[in-house]
Amino acid sequence: METNKVWYVTGASKGLGLSLVKQLLNKGHKVAATSRKLEDLQKAVSPESENFLPLAVDIRSEASVEDSITRTISKFGRLDVVVNNAGYGLVGSLEELSDQESRENFEVNVFGLLNVVRKALPQLREQKAGHIINIASIAGFSGLFPGFGIYCATKFAVHGLTESLAAEVKGFGINTTLVSPGYFRTDFLTSGSLSTPANPLDAYKEVRETQQMHQEHINGNQPGDPEKAVEVIIRASESTNPPLHLFLGEDSYQLAQDKIRLLNKDLEDWKDLATNTSFELVK
């Protein structure tokens, strides 16, 4: 089993990304890690190492992403695993979030990820090997969370594009994994990672309660251990047959099962009517 891979990880200065980078370096991998601010990354991953390449990257910019990929390959000679981890949460009802607030969430969570995929694929295709790991969320599979509609929409988009990506690049020897974490005890629910509406509406009491619950009660009490989550992601990267879908955390697994049961019920309840929609055959 190959143990000396070159990893490229976005959003690496905190959360799952930071835990991943630290574990990878401890295991002897070569790691290019990105953050919006280089000093944040250097402070978070303190030891200097020939195996570590910290990069200041704006994933919303194709030029910035392309430069970082070029520098990674220039330093390490290849690229084996790409982890799209950068992103942020957004809580607010669909009515109260502005167009700008909504589009910015898509700009980072979806189009930033696409920038990385587009710029990494030429190298992976040339190698005829590699692994793209996209960090989505259970909120990209189940959207029954009041106040998280836009965030869910971004992660549903990541689910859809990753499934298509897997089909498109399989023939090049490139693996694809979609990670859908539940609640892990990171700083994801703090103000630096969770945005709120600039103009909240008093009418949405349930949304405010959801917001308050996440910021004041769930934050710091998430059941998932990020170090264990990262271990699973690394194991998936080492597998000869890695999963396309990786629901990470007991809560994520249960929510996925609940969604599947709901889908099955709707399918069966409406099967006769929904499938009786073809043109009548002329005898």
Side-chain angles (χ1 to χ4, degrees):
M1 185 180 296
E2 185 180 358
T3 59
N4 188 21
K5 292 182 177 179
V6 176
W7 290 64
Y8 177 95
V9 182
T10 68
S13 62
K14 56 186 176 181
L16 286 179
L18 177 58
S19 294
L20 177 60
V21 168
K22 287 183 175 180
Q23 283 201 31
L24 290 171
L25 290 172
N26 287 337
K27 291 176 179 291
H29 294 283
K30 296 178 174 63
V31 182
T34 83
S35 178
R36 286 172 297 176
K37 297 180 180 179
L38 192 62
E39 58 269 25
D40 291 347
L41 190 55
Q42 292 170 325
K43 186 184 300 182
V45 188
S46 50
E48 293 188 9
S49 167
E50 277 299 308
N51 287 344
F52 179 51
L53 177 62
L55 297 163
V57 177
D58 179 359
I59 63 170
R60 299 169 300 178
S61 163
E62 283 191 287
S64 179
V65 171
E66 183 172 26
D67 178 68
S68 68
I69 295 287
T70 299
R71 291 177 61 187
T72 299
I73 297 167
S74 176
K75 179 173 177 61
F76 297 126
R78 60 182 291 116
L79 184 60
D80 297 304
V81 186
V82 174
V83 181
N84 280 298
N85 172 71
Y88 70 94
L90 179 63
V91 57
S93 72
L94 295 173
E95 180 183 356
E96 64 192 348
L97 287 170
S98 69
D99 182 74
Q100 181 179 352
E101 288 170 321
S102 301
R103 287 178 183 272
E104 182 62 21
N105 204 212
F106 271 90
E107 195 69 36
V108 174
N109 292 2
V110 180
F111 294 107
L113 179 149
L114 281 170
N115 284 338
V116 174
V117 169
R118 277 194 294 263
K119 300 306 178 182
L121 274 176
Q123 177 68 24
L124 302 183
R125 284 193 294 104
E126 183 180 344
Q127 295 171 178
K128 297 191 182 303
H131 195 163
I132 297 174
I133 300 175
N134 289 338
I135 309 297
S137 168
I138 184 56
F141 185 72
S142 176
L144 300 175
F145 304 100
F148 283 91
I150 294 299
Y151 175 73
C152 287
T154 68
K155 294 303 184 179
F156 266 74
V158 172
H159 270 244
L161 69 87
T162 303
E163 289 183 353
S164 290
L165 176 66
E168 291 172 359
V169 302
K170 183 178 180 181
F172 300 117
I174 302 169
N175 292 316
T176 309
T177 295
L178 174 65
V179 182
S180 298
Y183 289 110
F184 282 87
R185 201 168 299 178
T186 68
D187 53 6
F188 182 74
L189 296 179
T190 62
S191 59
S193 298
L194 183 67
S195 292
T196 57
N199 298 299
L201 300 175
D202 293 338
Y204 286 97
K205 294 180 180 179
E206 188 176 9
V207 172
R208 295 288 81 74
E209 290 171 359
T210 297
Q211 178 181 332
Q212 182 179 14
M213 179 179 68
H214 279 79
Q215 292 177 318
E216 298 179 12
H217 301 292
I218 297 177
N219 185 33
N221 296 301
Q222 298 96 322
D225 181 345
E227 298 303 322
K228 291 181 179 179
V230 165
E231 290 174 6
V232 177
I233 293 172
I234 295 174
R235 285 283 297 274
S237 76
E238 295 170 344
S239 173
T240 56
N241 187 29
L244 172 55
H245 294 280
L246 179 58
F247 289 94
L248 207 52
E250 187 175 350
D251 53 348
S252 177
Y253 181 87
Q254 188 58 54
L255 285 166
Q257 292 284 20
D258 292 344
K259 172 67 177 288
I260 291 167
R261 281 192 289 269
L262 178 61
L263 285 172
N264 282 330
K265 184 178 186 305
D266 285 347
L267 282 169
E268 294 306 314
D269 287 352
W270 287 84
K271 178 181 178 181
D272 291 341
L273 282 171
T275 58
N276 189 25
T277 52
S278 300
F279 287 107
E280 295 293 336
L281 294 175
V282 179
K283 295 182 180 180

